[in-house]
Amino acid sequence: MGLSRPHKVGNGVSTRWVSFFCIVSFFLGVLVVNRFWDAPDSIKMDEEALSMKKHQSGDVHPVEASDQVGDILSQVSQTHDVIMNLDKTISSLEVQLAAARAAKVDNSEEGSPMVTKLGNEQFKERQKVFFVMGIITAFSSRKRRDSIRETWMPQGEELKRLEREKGIIIRFVIGHSATPGGVLDRAIDAEEAQHKDFLRLNHVEGYHELSSKTQIYFSTAVAKWDADFFIKVDDDVHINLGMVGSTLTRHRSKPRVYIGCMKSGPVLAQKGVKYHEPEYWKFGEEGNKYFRHATGQIYAISKDLATYISVNRHILHRYANEDVSLGSWFIGLDVEHIDDRSLCCGTPPGLSYLVTEKTSQ
């Protein structure tokens, strides 16, 4: 008998190799199974990490996300309110500064006791009102003033009630004569004692001083009243107060508005003609037009613009025509020009606030 040989299976592979492959297959199977068992733990950890990341980034349950959005909007709203309050505070401080400057100037510059009696009592604390309407008048315009008093301007207790209930201030605006305390000034003093409807300025009256008078009017008015709007009116213009109030109400939320019948007339270089502009050369070649500005019969400006005039009064250039001067002061500023055609004196009856009355002086 000889040595036995390894038994071959099938195609001649020995059982020893079969055993070896079985053992290797067993260990490979164990490794693979362990790998799959570890995968769920890894996936679970990844899901937890992703969940935490989503939570931190705000990608959470819709209800929680809605609450967070609501909180953010609430904070934004609160921040906006704070900014608006700060803006109002700054504006108020600027107006107070302007009032202090105007009071100091009016008490230190040229003036008679009649004028400087504006004094401290009028600048202590300003009354909060809707609008101040200043009717620019002259010593020779008594008939025009009486016509206004008899038509659209309330008198006596009604004027006080208009101020108290509606916040509407109406005053005839006038300065003093070249000889303070003279006949002209005494006549205005007597008229004021009777009607109590004047705003006296520290200003020497004169036709060619209208630009200066306008500056002083706004400076004095903004120092005396905390108004949303300041209006300038000529004394030959009649007003529908209700319609004026309605118009201003529509623009009450705007910070810097300039409302009037906007025009752009020719710059008159020829001497001797009405509305001659001595500084015509500043507007280019002869025949050019002015920049857009409101006609002088009536216009309104918001509080910020009146304050701007008051603060910068001594460096604002004055042209020959008062309405041109006012328009020039706003060139370069962030001002909204509102062209209201109902403020034009040529508007058909019933559509205008104005009726120009031709009364004798």
Side-chain angles (χ1 to χ4, degrees):
M1 296 179 60
L3 295 173
S4 61
R5 295 184 179 182
H7 181 68
K8 294 185 178 179
V9 181
N11 60 356
V13 180
S14 67
T15 56
R16 191 175 296 172
W17 282 104
V18 172
S19 300
F20 174 76
F21 284 129
C22 288
I23 294 171
V24 171
S25 297
F26 172 77
F27 284 108
L28 286 175
V30 170
L31 289 174
V32 171
V33 170
N34 287 337
R35 182 95 177 187
F36 279 113
W37 282 349
D38 291 339
D41 293 336
S42 176
I43 293 173
K44 184 177 181 180
M45 292 177 62
D46 291 341
E47 289 179 348
E48 291 177 351
L50 181 61
S51 176
M52 183 176 294
K53 186 176 181 180
K54 287 183 178 180
H55 180 74
Q56 292 176 350
S57 65
D59 189 9
V60 294
H61 192 274
V63 176
E64 297 177 358
S66 177
D67 291 341
Q68 291 183 359
V69 170
D71 292 340
I72 292 173
L73 292 176
S74 177
Q75 292 176 6
V76 170
S77 177
Q78 292 176 3
T79 303
H80 177 72
D81 291 341
V82 170
I83 293 174
M84 291 296 292
N85 288 333
L86 285 174
D87 185 59
K88 290 180 180 179
T89 301
I90 292 172
S91 179
S92 176
L93 290 173
E94 289 176 343
V95 171
Q96 291 178 23
L97 176 61
R101 287 181 177 178
K104 183 177 179 181
V105 169
D106 283 341
N107 286 327
S108 62
E109 288 185 349
E110 49 155 357
S112 64
M114 170 198 67
V115 176
T116 56
K117 72 182 180 182
L118 282 170
N120 293 329
E121 72 275 3
Q122 290 190 349
F123 292 97
K124 283 181 181 177
E125 188 167 336
R126 297 176 308 145
Q127 178 185 356
K128 176 63 179 170
V129 299
F130 181 17
F131 65 80
V132 174
M133 179 176 289
I135 307 171
I136 304 299
T137 191
F139 291 116
S140 58
S141 298
R142 175 62 189 262
K143 289 185 177 180
R144 291 186 177 185
R145 292 192 293 272
D146 286 342
S147 175
I148 289 175
R149 292 182 180 115
E150 292 167 1
T151 53
W152 62 268
M153 181 178 176
Q155 288 296 293
E157 186 58 35
E158 290 185 7
L159 185 64
K160 294 180 181 178
R161 187 181 304 112
L162 184 68
E163 298 176 7
R164 185 171 58 252
E165 298 179 0
K166 302 295 184 181
I168 296 175
I169 307 294
I170 306 174
R171 294 289 188 274
F172 289 106
V173 179
I174 197 167
H176 59 86
S177 67
T179 55
V183 174
L184 296 177
D185 293 314
R186 290 199 301 271
I188 295 297
D189 288 342
E191 194 176 340
E192 163 66 5
Q194 179 183 357
H195 297 284
K196 301 188 186 311
D197 54 8
F198 279 91
L199 175 63
R200 306 299 298 276
L201 304 181
N202 186 15
H203 166 75
V204 178
E205 286 292 318
Y207 179 79
H208 297 292
E209 299 296 328
L210 288 178
S211 293
S212 177
K213 182 175 182 177
T214 301
Q215 280 187 338
I216 298 172
Y217 157 60
F218 285 122
S219 298
T220 304
V222 82
K224 185 174 176 61
W225 292 286
D226 180 12
D228 293 326
F229 295 96
F230 294 86
I231 303 175
K232 177 261 179 182
V233 184
D234 285 344
D235 62 5
D236 60 350
V237 171
H238 283 207
I239 303 295
N240 183 324
L241 286 176
M243 294 182 70
V244 170
S246 298
T247 296
L248 296 182
T249 299
R250 294 199 299 269
H251 305 291
R252 206 168 187 173
S253 61
K254 302 174 182 177
R256 292 172 298 278
V257 291
Y258 172 30
I259 308 170
C261 175
M262 298 294 169
K263 68 174 184 178
S264 180
V267 180
L268 301 180
Q270 184 180 355
K271 291 184 179 180
V273 300
K274 192 176 183 180
Y275 307 125
H276 165 64
E277 178 57 73
E279 297 181 86
Y280 63 90
W281 60 273
K282 289 185 177 180
F283 299 92
E285 301 299 326
E286 289 191 28
N288 279 359
K289 291 185 176 182
Y290 288 114
F291 40 78
R292 191 71 61 179
H293 62 280
T295 57
Q297 285 88 355
I298 178 173
Y299 50 73
I301 61 176
S302 55
K303 175 171 62 177
D304 285 359
L305 296 183
T307 303
Y308 171 81
I309 293 173
S310 178
V311 171
N312 299 284
R313 168 180 149 197
H314 296 290
I315 60 172
L316 293 176
H317 186 70
R318 298 184 294 272
Y319 291 100
N321 300 302
E322 158 263 330
D323 51 357
V324 172
S325 295
L326 186 86
S328 73
W329 300 336
F330 302 148
I331 294 294
L333 300 184
D334 184 14
V335 175
E336 181 178 355
H337 289 58
I338 298 174
D339 183 17
D340 192 327
R341 306 314 292 176
S342 62
L343 293 174
C344 301
C345 285
T347 305
L351 299 178
S352 177
Y353 307 142
L354 315 179
V355 178
T356 302
E357 184 180 69
K358 298 179 179 179
T359 56
S360 57
Q361 295 293 315

